[in-house]
Amino acid sequence: MPWAANTVRSTTCSLPNNHMTRAQFQQQMARINSWLLVLLAFVLPVSTSITSVTAVLFMAGWLLEGDFKRKFEEIRSNPMSRVVLVYIAVLLVGLLWNDQLAASASGIQKQWKMLLMPVFLTAVRPEERWRILWAFIAGMSLMMLSTYLAWLGFIEHTGVPPGQLTKKSYHVVYNPMLALSIYLLLYQLIWGRLQSWLRLVLTGLAALMIINMFMTEGRTGQLAFFILVGVLLFQYLQTSPWKAALALVLVPPLIFFASYHLSPTFKHRVDLAKKEVEIYKQNPKTSVGQRLFFWEHSWRIFQEAPLTGVGTGGFEAAYAERNKRLSPHMPATDNPHNQYILSSVQLGLVGLASLLALFVTQLWLAWKSKDDWGKVRLAFPVFFMVVNLTESYLLIHETGILFSLLCAVLYKLPSVADASLEGRRQEKSATLPAELRTR
């Protein structure tokens, strides 16, 4: 029956094609993964468990997306990912001279966050960089709100001294991340193209964050804040060296002086640190005293194997053995609270060189930058170089992932990015509104 055949053909032709091609599927997964990075940036300051779940979801999406040839080529060709992989390779080689398998595995496990950087790199879309940074600032704003609620008495944290506005030891990561958020906000206020209402809102948010910096207890974050203020002043006044020098001499000390006299919390923490340094020889069992003690003993361990160290994961056993012999009255530790010392003790000068190579590469890429991201690319390694002086921040969950994520965001090569996204963007560009973009 000719009419029936024609009807079947007509009906068949009119049916929509519900089968997604491989290219369309990869495009959809790339879009999902891009939004998962935004979500990761938001939850990073909020919850370690949600951050871990989001990271797992991202990795699953990354594997489902495929396109591994393009991804591996981007990882291979990017200077930042190469130096991260060298850093990981040095850690792996360091397993050879630590005969304690469990300790070696622990040493690698603590560094798993670094392995995320090359993976993140292949998922970042250059036009969405600020979307990820705004998500991070939003997450930090939420946590800042919780500290103000605690200050007003609406929230009460258990197991913390009276007056502490953050839960347990959260100030260790909260204040450094707050310092970075303040820098990013001030950067936008100075160089961003903002509508008047948004500029007013962000000015108020930056003011609240700066006040909050000295209401909370993280001294490392406060130090990072002063350094980043200096970096920002230098960047703003770099065309006038004399003005820049004068601002660097005057502004940070003035902020310190005002904060010291206006914030009881900041004054107490500064005075306490000063006192603990003064009584270090008589009583090293203080917050600052223990750090100084750990550094002193770690230096002695380093001197015994300066070239290759005690092996990946070997710090804890080496320190415990020395501590038992020479200072049994002091607590042992698995962390000297200094990333440079930890790398030097575990992997000697080779390990220290691989760590410093991370920051040198970032500074080099910042210096080479021809776009508007050069200033942020410079501030980021300065920030991490400072905070790593008082804690091993690449090991800590929040800051380790933050390092990997923002490395991918800031140091993705535009040329590689353009090539990687050709033919994959049929949807509309998912850029931020104009008022949230930088020049």
Side-chain angles (χ1 to χ4, degrees), residues 56 226 330 356 380 409 438:
V56 170
F226 287 116
M330 289 294 291
L356 294 177
F380 181 71
V409 169
T438 58

Side-chain angles (χ1 to χ4, degrees), residues 255-406:
I255 297 175
F256 179 90
F257 180 82
S259 303
Y260 183 82
H261 289 281
L262 294 175
S263 170
T265 300
F266 183 63
K267 183 178 186 300
H268 169 71
R269 295 288 285 173
V270 171
D271 290 344
L272 183 62
K274 181 174 178 291
K275 180 180 179 181
E276 289 175 355
V277 170
E278 291 173 348
I279 65 171
Y280 166 61
K281 293 299 182 182
Q282 293 76 36
N283 178 24
K285 290 185 178 182
T286 63
S287 177
V288 175
Q290 285 189 348
R291 274 177 166 78
L292 295 174
F293 193 86
F294 294 157
W295 297 350
E296 184 178 338
H297 274 248
S298 298
W299 169 248
R300 302 301 180 191
I301 298 172
F302 166 76
Q303 288 180 312
E304 296 173 2
L307 185 60
T308 57
V310 297
T312 301
F315 176 86
E316 184 176 6
Y319 190 93
E321 189 276 330
R322 180 179 179 84
N323 192 64
K324 184 178 180 180
R325 283 190 294 109
L326 302 177
S327 52
H329 60 287
M330 289 294 291
T333 184
D334 61 350
N335 176 16
H337 298 281
N338 183 302
Q339 188 72 52
Y340 306 101
I341 291 176
L342 179 63
S343 295
S344 300
V345 171
Q346 288 196 133
L347 297 164
L349 292 175
V350 175
L352 180 61
S354 69
L355 174 64
L356 294 177
L358 296 174
F359 305 126
V360 171
T361 302
Q362 290 169 341
L363 293 171
W364 174 67
L365 291 172
W367 179 72
K368 282 185 60 181
S369 295
K370 304 300 182 184
D371 56 17
D372 298 321
W373 288 93
K375 294 180 178 65
V376 183
R377 289 187 182 117
L378 173 66
F380 181 71
V382 170
F383 164 74
F384 262 98
M385 284 190 291
V386 170
V387 298
N388 278 327
L389 289 169
T390 61
E391 184 53 89
S392 306
Y393 275 104
L394 296 185
L395 272 62
I396 296 177
H397 188 272
E398 295 93 338
T399 47
I401 293 179
L402 178 68
F403 181 85
S404 290
L405 178 60
L406 294 198

Side-chain angles (χ1 to χ4, degrees), residues 86-369:
V86 168
Y87 176 79
I88 296 297
V90 171
L91 287 171
L92 292 173
V93 172
L95 297 174
L96 298 176
W97 52 90
N98 183 3
D99 55 3
Q100 299 185 14
L101 183 60
S104 297
S106 175
I108 291 294
Q109 185 271 333
K110 290 177 181 179
Q111 297 276 1
W112 69 268
K113 285 85 66 178
M114 296 292 290
L115 284 171
L116 292 174
M117 183 271 159
V119 180
F120 288 155
L121 178 76
T122 64
V124 169
R125 296 183 176 191
E127 74 275 15
E128 296 179 354
R129 282 176 169 138
W130 269 110
R131 178 173 289 170
I132 293 173
L133 295 180
W134 283 121
F136 171 68
I137 293 171
M140 283 304 304
S141 300
L142 182 62
M143 297 312 296
M144 178 189 69
L145 175 61
S146 73
T147 66
Y148 277 112
L149 291 175
W151 180 60
L152 293 171
F154 293 108
I155 294 177
E156 185 174 336
H157 299 296
T158 57
V160 300
Q164 182 170 319
L165 305 181
T166 56
K167 56 187 179 182
K168 296 183 180 179
S169 60
Y170 182 63
H171 64 277
V172 173
V173 294
Y174 172 76
N175 285 81
M177 292 193 297
L178 184 65
L180 185 60
S181 298
I182 292 170
Y183 172 85
L184 293 172
L185 279 175
L186 294 178
Y187 175 92
Q188 274 286 356
L189 288 170
I190 295 172
W191 291 288
R193 293 181 294 182
L194 306 173
Q195 292 185 359
S196 299
W197 68 268
L198 184 59
R199 184 174 296 277
L200 184 63
V201 170
L202 295 184
T203 300
L205 180 60
L208 286 172
M209 284 188 171
I210 292 171
I211 294 169
N212 192 259
M213 174 62 70
F214 300 102
M215 292 171 56
T216 45
E217 295 196 337
R219 287 178 292 213
T220 299
Q222 291 160 356
L223 173 62
F225 167 76
F226 287 116
I227 298 297
L228 288 178
V229 166
V231 170
L232 195 71
L233 288 170
F234 173 79
Q235 292 173 337
Y236 181 66
L237 299 170
Q238 61 182 342
T239 56
S240 178
W242 287 107
K243 289 182 180 179
L246 185 62
L248 288 172
V249 170
L250 292 179
V251 175
L254 285 174
I255 297 175
F256 179 90
F257 180 82
S259 303
Y260 183 82
H261 289 281
L262 294 175
S263 170
T265 300
F266 183 63
K267 183 178 186 300
H268 169 71
R269 295 288 285 173
V270 171
D271 290 344
L272 183 62
K274 181 174 178 291
K275 180 180 179 181
E276 289 175 355
V277 170
E278 291 173 348
I279 65 171
Y280 166 61
K281 293 299 182 182
Q282 293 76 36
N283 178 24
K285 290 185 178 182
T286 63
S287 177
V288 175
Q290 285 189 348
R291 274 177 166 78
L292 295 174
F293 193 86
F294 294 157
W295 297 350
E296 184 178 338
H297 274 248
S298 298
W299 169 248
R300 302 301 180 191
I301 298 172
F302 166 76
Q303 288 180 312
E304 296 173 2
L307 185 60
T308 57
V310 297
T312 301
F315 176 86
E316 184 176 6
Y319 190 93
E321 189 276 330
R322 180 179 179 84
N323 192 64
K324 184 178 180 180
R325 283 190 294 109
L326 302 177
S327 52
H329 60 287
M330 289 294 291
T333 184
D334 61 350
N335 176 16
H337 298 281
N338 183 302
Q339 188 72 52
Y340 306 101
I341 291 176
L342 179 63
S343 295
S344 300
V345 171
Q346 288 196 133
L347 297 164
L349 292 175
V350 175
L352 180 61
S354 69
L355 174 64
L356 294 177
L358 296 174
F359 305 126
V360 171
T361 302
Q362 290 169 341
L363 293 171
W364 174 67
L365 291 172
W367 179 72
K368 282 185 60 181
S369 295

